[in-house]
Amino acid sequence: TAGQIGLDPVSGELVASTVEEQTHQALTNLQNVIEAAGSTIGHVVKTTVFLKDMNDFSKMNAIYAEFFGDNPPARSTVAVAGLPKGGLVEIEAIVLIA
């Protein structure tokens, strides 16, 4: 998938200013893209998370765990200088399509 940030799909604006809320929306957007392609979030095999501030890792990780549970896919997390629209987190995924 292409990377997803915490954009409200209706307004096209970031949902909030916290990494937790942006992570939740980014993962919701990612889940919607995956389902539109005919798969499920359970078929994600690898994600890459881009964080504006690596100090937000534990906050992002708590929300990430809500979506992926006890058996999450492989993941890389990197800090970046900036993200679209001033976002705090962006997440992309590699997904199996049955």
Side-chain angles (χ1 to χ4, degrees):
T1 68
Q4 298 295 309
I5 61 174
L7 288 181
D8 177 305
V10 175
S11 71
E13 298 299 323
L14 290 172
V15 293
S17 61
T18 70
V19 73
E20 294 95 337
E21 291 168 305
Q22 287 187 25
T23 299
H24 188 275
Q25 186 64 52
L27 287 166
T28 297
N29 294 346
L30 189 66
Q31 185 172 11
N32 290 337
V33 167
I34 291 167
E35 289 174 359
S39 194
T40 68
I41 201 159
H43 286 98
V44 172
V45 294
K46 165 80 169 69
T47 63
T48 305
V49 178
F50 304 93
L51 284 174
K52 184 157 187 207
D53 184 347
M54 196 57 79
N55 290 318
D56 287 334
F57 180 84
S58 62
K59 295 174 187 174
M60 174 280 300
N61 197 50
I63 305 303
Y64 188 92
E66 291 177 15
F67 279 78
F68 291 108
D70 294 332
N71 193 21
R75 174 181 65 196
S76 299
T77 304
V78 295
V80 295
L83 292 167
K85 295 201 173 244
L88 302 175
V89 61
E90 180 173 352
I91 304 171
E92 66 181 27
I94 298 172
V95 185
L96 294 174
I97 305 253

